[in-house]
């Protein structure tokens, strides 16, 4: 009997396959490590090993297709404010990811409440499958008894993290009470002693600047004016100073690269500059469930005469006196002229430096209150950062934006009428039906391709295929899968265009129609419809809408049918 070739045998085996996954999940691998990966060989907890193990796991699952790998290295598991996790969730919300695979539950998170909320509420609501490999948990398979085990594991992880937090807090508090510096970066004007990193010594480059700042403040000069002086002289800001001296890796940008009035305010209140170690000014504790909060001055941990002072007690006291007087003046005016709602909060940006502009309150001698948006970078730095003088009055801004919204609303009503006429055309229905049929046929191709792929590993295991043949065929099927998925995503977008976008119920048309009943711009309207407002001169603005590109695309599609 003639010997059948290996590839022919595999293809014959593939054709005989009758079972195939009902659904193929777009899968994201997530790995996390609490401390920086030190690349130790054989470290099973390392990011490298987690990633390798999880990629291999996904590779053997017929109903999973690897979408991407997300790794948070050196990030705590006690909260979910992690850059790669946030990027992962963005993919979930955009429906690009519908399955998440982790090594175990502790890699996902150690906060019992938040982890449980994701597993029991958020992921089921979004239709996301969750797999913890070492915990033998798969959300689509474990609908009953195993959920109690998972809850207990989450609780143990949470208690473990809190126990570690309590021990660390205790050690740090002891160091603070002994007057040892425990911060990552020394205060501006100081360096960590080469002999003892918990002791501060004056920085020969920055200490003279600190003395000048305190002297100016003691002489009654405002904090914003001091920031201007420093920026005009080209003196690096604290963050830039740390970067230039190699203590920070990332170069500061925007407002972080210059001196600001608030920096001066905080510096001139800090007892560290008269030789007293003041720590515990903010508090954060996982074990006590305390998020980062400011601590009252009387509760600071202050140890006197721990290091060399940069400024004298007399100058320091004068600076405090000036600050307290300015604060009293500010508080007396605050109650006299009540604030109004800032409708455009965080939406107005500088056309030069892209910084969010501040709403500044000005009171005339007659007692009239007027609000104006100004660029803080220009106000505190003149033209040092390339900013030109620009501002816009709030009344003028409201009037212009409201008029622009009226124009956009009229355009939306015309577009709505065009869409209604388009939906009545026979070509519209035929195109919609054709896309639905294309999606059906493409899903069949995807299922057939995945069935062929799922047989490869078995064929490799029983030596029907060599490793080279296995790798080559797997790569071929993976490329087909990627191509099919890309095509499917495009067809689904087109299908959604017909169902939701090319419809009078389009979200942007509905949002604009709500403006018809309003007499002025409201905060809700501004947040929903405006991406940002760029100020390019004196009362000169450019409005960037959230919906403009969508409207152009929608009009082109409606006209083209």
């Amino acid at each position: 009997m003639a010997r059948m070739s290996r590839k022919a045998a595999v293809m014959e085996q593939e054709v005989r396959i009758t079972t195939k996954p009902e659904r193929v999940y777009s899968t994201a691998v997530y790995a996390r490590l609490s401390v920086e990966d030190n690349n130790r060989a054989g470290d099973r907890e390392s990011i490298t090993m987690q990633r390798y193990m999880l990629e291999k796991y996904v590779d053997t699952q017929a109903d999973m297709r690897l979408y991407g790998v997300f790794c948070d290295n050196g990030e705590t598991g006690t909260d979910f404010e992690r850059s790669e996790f946030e990027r992962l969730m963005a993919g979930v919300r955009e429906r690009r990811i519908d399955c998440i695979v982790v090594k175990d539950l502790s890699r996902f998170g150690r906060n019992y409440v938040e982890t449980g909320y994701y597993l029991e509420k958020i992921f089921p609501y979004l239709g996301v499958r969750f797999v913890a490999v070492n915990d033998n948990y798969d959300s689509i398979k474990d609908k009953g008894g195993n959920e109690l085990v998972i809850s207990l594991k989450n609780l143990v992880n949470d208690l473990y993290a809190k126990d570690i937090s309590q021990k660390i807090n205790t050690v740090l508090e002891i160091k603070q009470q002994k007057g040892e510096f425990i911060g990552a970066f020394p205060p501006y004007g100081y360096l960590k002693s080469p002999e003892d990193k918990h002791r501060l010594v004056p920085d020969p480059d920055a200490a003279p600047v600190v003395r000048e700042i305190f002297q100016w403040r003691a002489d009654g000069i405002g904090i914003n004016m001091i920031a201007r002086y420093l920026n005009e002289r080209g003196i690096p800001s604290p963050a830039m100073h740390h970067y230039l001296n190699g203590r920070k890796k990332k170069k500061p940008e925007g407002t972080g690269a210059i001196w600001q009035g608030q920096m001066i305010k905080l510096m001139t209140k800090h007892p560290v500059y008269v030789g007293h170690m003041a720590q515990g000014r903010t508090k954060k504790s996982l074990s006590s469930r305390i998020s980062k909060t400011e601590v009252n001055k009387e509760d600071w941990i202050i140890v006197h005469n721990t290091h060399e002072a940069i400024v004298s007690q007399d100058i320091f006291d004068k600076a405090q006196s000036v600050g307290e007087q300015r604060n009293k003046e500010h508080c007396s005016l605050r109650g006299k002229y009540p604030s109004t709602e800032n409708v455009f909060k965080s939406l107005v940006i500088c056309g030069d430096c892209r910084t969010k502009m501040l709403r500044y309150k000005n009171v005339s001698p007659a007692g009239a209150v007027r609000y104006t948006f100004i660029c803080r970078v220009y106000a505190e730095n003149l033209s040092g950062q390339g900013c030109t003088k620009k501002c816009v009055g709030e009344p003028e801004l409201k009037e212009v934006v409201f008029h622009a919204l009226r124009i956009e609303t009229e355009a939306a009503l015309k577009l709505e009428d065009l869409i209604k006429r388009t939906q009545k055309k026979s070509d519209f229905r035929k195109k919609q039906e054709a896309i639905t049929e294309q999606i059906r046929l493409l899903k069949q191709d995807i299922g057939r391709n995945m069935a062929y792929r799922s047989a490869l590993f078995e064929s490799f295991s029983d030596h029907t295929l060599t490793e080279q043949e296995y790798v080559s065929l797997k790569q071929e099927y993976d490329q087909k899968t990627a191509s099919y998925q890309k095509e499917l995503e495009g067809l689904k977008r087109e299908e959604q265009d017909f169902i939701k976008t090319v419809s009078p119920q389009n979200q942007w048309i509905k949002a604009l129609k709500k403006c018809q009943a309003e007499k002025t711009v409201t905060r809700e309207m501004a947040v929903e419809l405006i991406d940002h407002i760029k100020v390019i001169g004196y009362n000169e603005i450019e409005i960037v809408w959230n919906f403009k590109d969508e409207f152009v695309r929608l009009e082109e599609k409606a006209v083209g049918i």
Side-chain angles (χ1 to χ4, degrees):
M1 181 177 177
R3 184 176 181 271
M4 185 182 294
S5 72
R6 286 172 176 158
K7 186 166 183 177
V10 172
M11 295 304 295
E12 182 180 298
Q13 182 181 3
E14 289 167 351
V15 172
R16 291 199 303 268
I17 294 173
T18 56
T19 60
K20 61 182 181 181
E22 295 180 1
R23 175 180 177 184
V24 178
Y25 290 86
S26 178
T27 305
V29 161
Y30 179 71
R32 182 188 65 80
L33 197 63
S34 294
V35 294
E36 289 296 335
D37 185 6
N38 55 16
N39 294 315
R40 289 176 296 174
D43 184 0
R44 294 182 180 180
E45 293 298 323
S46 75
I47 288 290
T48 304
M49 289 302 296
Q50 285 185 56
R51 177 172 180 165
Y52 174 79
M53 184 198 84
L54 295 175
E55 286 180 341
K56 283 291 183 185
Y57 173 83
V58 173
D59 190 44
T60 60
Q61 304 303 304
D63 58 351
M64 292 183 186
R65 175 181 60 85
L66 185 63
Y67 171 83
V69 179
F70 301 81
C71 303
D72 277 312
N73 201 359
E75 295 285 351
T76 179
T78 58
D79 61 49
F80 288 88
E81 294 179 3
R82 317 172 205 146
S83 58
E84 282 294 280
F85 178 79
E86 289 173 356
R87 194 166 69 86
L88 166 67
M89 289 306 298
V92 169
R93 286 189 290 270
E94 292 165 8
R95 298 295 191 267
R96 291 183 281 109
I97 297 168
D98 55 12
C99 178
I100 298 172
V101 178
V102 298
K103 176 176 174 286
D104 55 49
L105 287 166
S106 69
R107 296 303 94 203
F108 180 67
R110 290 189 181 275
N111 184 304
Y112 171 68
V113 175
E114 286 194 68
T115 302
Y117 189 68
Y118 272 99
L119 297 185
E120 297 170 19
K121 301 290 184 184
I122 296 178
F123 289 158
Y125 176 76
L126 295 174
V128 175
R129 177 182 179 185
F130 183 82
V131 178
V133 179
N134 284 3
D135 290 322
N136 196 29
Y137 175 77
D138 188 334
S139 62
I140 65 170
K141 299 175 183 177
D142 295 291
K143 300 291 185 183
N146 204 31
E147 290 186 352
L148 177 60
V149 176
I150 294 301
S151 295
L152 289 172
K153 285 185 176 181
N154 281 335
L155 181 57
V156 169
N157 289 331
D158 189 44
L159 292 174
Y160 172 78
K162 288 177 181 175
D163 179 57
I164 293 296
S165 170
Q166 188 172 20
K167 290 174 179 176
I168 291 174
N169 286 342
T170 301
V171 171
L172 292 179
E173 191 171 332
I174 291 172
K175 288 182 176 293
Q176 288 175 339
Q177 290 172 348
K178 291 167 64 178
E180 297 181 11
F181 179 73
I182 61 170
F185 301 102
Y188 180 77
Y190 282 100
L191 298 171
K192 291 182 180 180
S193 169
E195 292 80 23
D196 181 1
K197 65 179 182 179
H198 298 299
R199 189 170 64 86
L200 299 178
V201 295
D203 181 344
D205 296 325
V209 179
V210 173
R211 294 188 188 98
E212 275 193 295
I213 291 171
F214 272 91
Q215 187 62 59
W216 284 333
R217 190 58 171 157
D219 292 340
I221 299 176
I223 54 176
N224 290 333
M225 187 60 72
I226 294 174
R228 283 191 190 185
Y229 289 163
L230 295 169
N231 289 321
E232 286 175 347
R233 288 167 54 182
I235 295 174
S237 67
M240 184 63 76
H241 180 71
H242 284 310
Y243 169 76
L244 293 174
N245 286 277
R247 290 188 287 274
K248 283 190 175 182
K249 295 181 180 179
K250 186 177 180 181
K251 185 177 181 179
E253 300 176 349
T255 54
I258 63 171
W259 288 91
Q260 300 171 60
Q262 194 63 23
M263 292 180 187
I264 306 300
K265 183 178 180 180
L266 294 174
M267 279 183 61
T268 51
K269 292 169 65 175
H270 204 320
V272 72
Y273 295 108
V274 285
H276 309 322
M277 189 66 72
Q279 298 182 108
R281 299 191 301 159
T282 60
K283 193 170 188 178
K284 181 179 180 180
S285 173
L286 173 65
S287 59
S288 303
R289 293 190 180 278
I290 300 173
S291 57
K292 189 175 181 179
T293 55
E294 298 289 331
V295 176
N296 292 330
K297 188 173 181 179
E298 55 268 21
D299 295 325
W300 292 358
I301 299 176
I302 300 178
V303 182
H304 293 269
N305 304 317
T306 56
H307 54 274
E308 182 182 339
I310 292 178
V311 299
S312 67
Q313 188 68 50
D314 181 55
I315 294 294
F316 183 82
D317 292 340
K318 286 181 180 178
Q320 306 314 298
S321 178
V322 171
E324 289 168 6
Q325 182 60 34
R326 296 291 171 85
N327 189 52
K328 286 178 183 178
E329 293 172 2
H330 176 72
C331 291
S332 65
L333 290 174
R334 185 185 299 167
K336 188 176 180 181
Y337 304 102
S339 296
T340 59
E341 182 185 24
N342 185 358
V343 173
F344 302 109
K345 184 178 181 181
S346 298
L347 295 175
V348 185
I349 67 170
C350 171
D352 289 325
C353 68
R354 310 284 298 181
T355 301
K356 292 176 182 177
M357 297 179 75
L358 295 178
R359 189 176 75 143
Y360 175 75
K361 180 166 67 176
N362 184 47
V363 182
S364 71
V369 178
R370 176 180 169 81
Y371 288 97
T372 304
F373 287 90
I374 62 173
C375 175
R376 182 179 64 186
V377 173
Y378 177 83
E380 296 182 2
N381 190 43
L382 294 179
S383 58
Q385 290 292 307
C387 282
T388 57
K389 186 176 182 180
K390 66 187 72 63
C391 65
V392 60
E394 186 179 58
E396 292 81 5
L397 182 59
K398 280 188 175 182
E399 183 180 347
V400 171
V401 172
F402 187 71
H403 179 68
L405 278 171
R406 285 292 190 200
I407 295 173
E408 295 296 332
T409 302
E410 290 175 11
L413 292 172
K414 291 178 182 177
L415 189 55
E416 181 184 35
D417 184 59
L418 174 63
I419 290 171
K420 287 178 179 178
R421 294 199 306 271
T422 300
Q423 287 186 323
K424 292 178 181 179
K425 295 179 181 179
S426 60
D427 287 350
F428 180 87
R429 291 190 296 274
K430 286 179 181 178
K431 280 194 175 185
Q432 191 172 7
E433 291 168 0
I435 290 172
T436 301
E437 178 64 12
Q438 281 181 276
I439 290 174
R440 186 185 70 80
L441 294 174
L442 188 57
K443 284 183 176 179
Q444 287 184 352
D445 290 339
I446 291 172
R448 192 178 301 111
N449 186 66
M450 289 305 298
Y452 290 157
R453 182 187 181 282
S454 64
L456 288 178
F457 190 74
E458 183 180 344
S459 299
F460 173 59
S461 300
D462 63 18
H463 305 294
T464 305
L465 286 176
T466 65
E467 183 177 357
Q468 185 177 358
E469 289 171 330
Y470 167 73
V471 171
S472 176
L473 284 170
K474 177 179 172 297
Q475 187 177 19
E476 181 182 328
Y477 290 134
D478 285 345
Q479 287 173 348
K480 279 188 179 181
T481 299
S483 176
Y484 286 150
Q485 288 294 338
K486 187 176 181 180
E487 186 179 353
L488 181 62
E489 287 169 6
L491 287 171
K492 284 185 174 180
R493 281 196 297 271
E494 280 196 68
E495 185 180 46
Q496 286 302 308
D497 279 345
F498 280 98
I499 297 171
K500 292 183 179 180
T501 308
V502 188
S503 163
Q505 297 305 308
N506 179 284
Q507 61 168 324
W508 299 118
I509 293 177
K510 290 171 65 178
L512 279 165
K513 285 175 69 177
K514 288 189 295 185
C515 300
Q516 287 179 292
E518 300 293 346
K519 302 297 182 184
T520 186
V521 183
T522 65
R523 176 64 179 168
E524 290 73 20
M525 289 164 55
V527 171
E528 186 174 17
L529 298 171
I530 298 172
D531 182 83
H532 65 271
I533 300 169
K534 185 160 60 175
V535 181
I536 53 180
Y538 179 73
N539 279 350
E540 290 184 74
I541 67 165
E542 179 185 320
I543 304 171
V544 178
W545 306 103
N546 279 326
F547 56 83
K548 203 64 179 178
D549 291 341
E550 178 106 357
F551 263 31
V552 172
R553 189 171 67 88
L554 180 57
E555 189 172 23
E556 290 174 350
K557 188 172 285 291
V559 171
I561 293 174

